[in-house]
Amino acid sequence: MTADTLRVRLGVLRRVATVLFGVALVVGIAIALRDADWAAVRDLTGAGELGLLGLALLVNSVGLVLGMLSWRHLLAGLGSPVGVWTAARIFFVGMITKFVPGRFWALIANIRMGRTAGVTPARMATVYVLNIAVMSLTGLTVGLIAAPSVLGGRGGWLLLAALPVLACAVRPELANRWAAALARLLRRPAPAPAGHRDLRYAIAAQAVSWLVAGLQFWLVAVAAGAPPAASFPVCVGAFGLAAVVGSFVVFVPDGIGVREGILMVALTGLLPLPTAGAVVLVSRLICTVSEIASAGVALLAAELIRRRARPPAGAEPAGAELPAGV
């Protein structure tokens, strides 16, 4: 077999694998939406609270964008700055791969798409590990907001656990060490250290992302009748904590069941158990829909911008990407 023949066959295999992955992703999304408890949505909208649920959908989408910007700063800190729409395309495709069975599809997809943006596989793997570290630190810290409300005055001291995130903001090399420890735990190569300025931006953007995502959960709880003031710290904090804990439970996809269990416990002092269950299910559905919608918008916008920026036929170099800064 000649080298040209081998190259052609490998190209065909890559295209077939891409198509199969796309089909698996569509099927996974369809199953996720089909299995969602739409009856819970009808129960909450019966009292005319559809506006709050729509706002929750929009708010969660904003949180996802902030998460993408955090990821982009990490990549820039590693020496591979990319445009906003290029980052959005890579980030959101990686995010929705969770609908495909398996734990590392996001990394595989990011590596494949990173190549087209001029980012090496090693650097994509590094930002993958660093992003997990930043998400974990900030999510657990935001989760501590719920401690005083859930545990009473005895839990207030737990807010001191926010000091690690503050320490990483002041001395970003601590976050690099955390990422290296996480890589050893996952049996992955130690990541290269990220630049301090971009790491600070990434930590700030991800922390705000968790706060915004928790705001989504609070809006759903208020729509179900939870007292707005009393439920705010519980919902915002519990959502960050539940999402992080659920992401580390590897035997269930996207922490399904684990995240809901933690959120149910947090809501039991504010709402009757059946209502709390409906809130948790509706929040999961809102997160799923906003993730799919955000990914769709990012991919469509990136493709339209790429086509608009494309030079005339015959003038475009092979493998051209989105223009710098886009």
Side-chain angles (χ1 to χ4, degrees), residues 31-113:
I31 291 174
L33 293 176
R34 184 199 65 188
D35 293 342
D37 191 347
W38 295 93
V41 178
R42 290 194 295 269
D43 292 341
L44 288 185
T45 56
E49 304 297 346
L50 188 59
L52 280 176
L53 297 184
L55 181 59
L57 184 67
L58 178 61
V59 164
N60 198 70
S61 299
V62 173
L64 294 173
V65 172
L66 288 168
M68 180 274 295
L69 293 176
S70 173
W71 180 89
R72 178 173 177 252
H73 276 297
L74 290 176
L75 191 59
L78 293 171
S80 295
V82 296
V84 172
W85 288 111
T86 299
R89 187 163 60 91
I90 298 173
F91 175 83
F92 282 110
V93 167
M95 182 188 66
I96 61 174
T97 56
K98 65 184 180 180
F99 296 108
V100 180
R103 297 299 298 179
F104 293 104
W105 285 112
L107 178 58
I108 295 172
N110 285 351
I111 287 175
R112 176 74 184 275
M113 299 182 73

Side-chain angles (χ1 to χ4, degrees), residues 1 21 69 72 164 168 188 214 224 251 265 316:
M1 182 184 299
F21 177 76
L69 293 176
R72 178 173 177 252
C168 287
R188 299 285 166 183
F251 52 84
V265 171
E316 180 184 12

Side-chain angles (χ1 to χ4, degrees), residues 93-298:
V93 167
M95 182 188 66
I96 61 174
T97 56
K98 65 184 180 180
F99 296 108
V100 180
R103 297 299 298 179
F104 293 104
W105 285 112
L107 178 58
I108 295 172
N110 285 351
I111 287 175
R112 176 74 184 275
M113 299 182 73
R115 282 197 182 101
T116 67
V119 183
T120 64
R123 196 155 286 175
M124 293 303 299
T126 297
V127 77
Y128 178 82
V129 175
L130 270 175
N131 191 52
I132 292 176
V134 170
M135 289 180 64
S136 302
L137 278 173
T138 54
L140 292 175
T141 299
V142 169
L144 295 171
I145 296 173
S149 299
V150 175
L151 301 177
R154 297 169 300 172
W157 64 271
L158 291 175
L159 292 176
L160 293 174
L163 290 178
V165 170
L166 295 177
C168 287
V170 175
R171 298 187 60 187
E173 63 269 19
L174 295 176
N176 285 322
R177 293 176 186 173
W178 168 262
L182 182 63
R184 288 195 295 270
L185 181 64
L186 297 174
R187 297 182 180 179
R188 299 285 166 183
H196 290 184
R197 179 172 175 271
D198 283 295
L199 193 49
R200 289 190 180 101
Y201 282 137
I203 291 172
Q206 189 59 61
V208 177
S209 173
W210 283 123
L211 292 171
V212 172
L215 181 61
Q216 165 270 138
F217 185 59
W218 174 72
L219 288 169
V220 178
V222 170
S231 62
F232 183 80
V234 175
C235 291
V236 172
F239 189 86
L241 175 64
V244 171
V245 173
S247 69
F248 280 101
V249 181
V250 299
F251 52 84
V252 291
D254 197 29
I256 293 177
V258 177
R259 187 171 93 178
E260 283 69 22
I262 295 173
L263 293 177
M264 284 277 289
V265 171
L267 287 178
T268 50
L270 300 168
L271 292 169
L273 190 59
T275 306
V279 169
V280 170
L281 291 174
V282 170
S283 176
R284 167 68 77 170
L285 179 58
I286 285 175
C287 290
T288 300
V289 172
S290 63
E291 287 164 359
I292 296 170
S294 299
V297 169

